[in-house]
Amino acid sequence: MYSPVYEEANGPAHKAYRGVQTWEQAEKLVMKMGDFILYHRYPLIPDIVNLSKLSASLKMYVCYRSSKGSYRHYRIHSTRSYTEPFFFVECGDPKPKFFRNLDALVQYHQRYGNIFQSDDEPPCADLFPWWKSATVRQ
């Protein structure tokens, strides 16, 4: 059976994954600016009593701490092309990059960043384009 979280036993997605968290708990796990984790967000309505309904409501997110110190929570979506799943991070980019597995998604975002420059500040590099996303917590 295909598991989108654990690509390799000690691969990048496995190392970045922190289980089911609230957004507050996830933020406490990201200590350094420019770092991120993967987590399944505990639903905002915690009164779900049926375990099968709970697992269906868990969505995977990236919790990212920007170079400015703010936390961003970006949803990870999956889509299918024929029988192959593809993953992407919904972070405000109009043309998101698609990845065949979560290891590739994590590796890409650990290696490549985005450059942001405003008129009154020097340029800064970030792994996710936080300036394209209007909300800090979704």
Side-chain angles (χ1 to χ4, degrees):
M1 182 174 167
Y2 177 76
S3 172
V5 176
Y6 302 107
E7 300 296 335
E8 291 180 27
N10 289 313
H14 180 80
K15 291 176 182 176
Y17 184 68
R18 297 295 185 269
V20 180
Q21 308 286 334
T22 64
W23 57 263
E24 294 104 337
Q25 292 168 328
E27 289 177 358
K28 291 177 183 174
L29 296 172
V30 185
M31 306 303 287
K32 298 186 304 185
M33 287 190 272
D35 205 1
F36 68 92
I37 64 164
L38 305 181
Y39 73 103
H40 277 96
R41 180 178 291 172
Y42 190 74
L44 297 175
I45 305 168
D47 60 342
I48 297 174
V49 292
N50 185 331
L51 187 57
S52 64
K53 288 182 182 177
L54 174 63
S55 359
S57 69
L58 293 177
K59 308 293 186 222
M60 185 174 275
Y61 283 82
V62 168
C63 178
Y64 173 63
R65 188 168 182 193
S66 76
S67 64
K68 302 287 187 189
S70 64
Y71 292 95
R72 302 289 170 152
H73 297 262
Y74 300 120
R75 172 97 185 272
I76 296 176
H77 291 276
S78 63
T79 185
R80 288 199 171 274
S81 175
Y82 301 99
T83 60
E84 295 291 318
F86 287 89
F87 299 90
F88 69 96
V89 178
E90 182 184 344
C91 59
D93 193 338
K95 293 182 180 179
K97 295 189 176 21
F98 289 83
F99 303 92
R100 294 194 109 176
N101 56 51
L102 290 175
D103 278 344
L105 182 149
V106 169
Q107 282 179 322
Y108 176 85
H109 287 291
Q110 285 175 337
R111 290 184 185 156
Y112 301 103
N114 294 273
I115 303 296
F116 171 74
Q117 183 169 5
S118 66
D119 294 334
D120 54 343
E121 293 184 32
C124 65
D126 268 289
L127 299 179
F128 295 93
W130 54 264
W131 52 92
K132 292 183 180 182
S133 176
T135 60
V136 176
R137 293 186 180 108
Q138 299 174 340

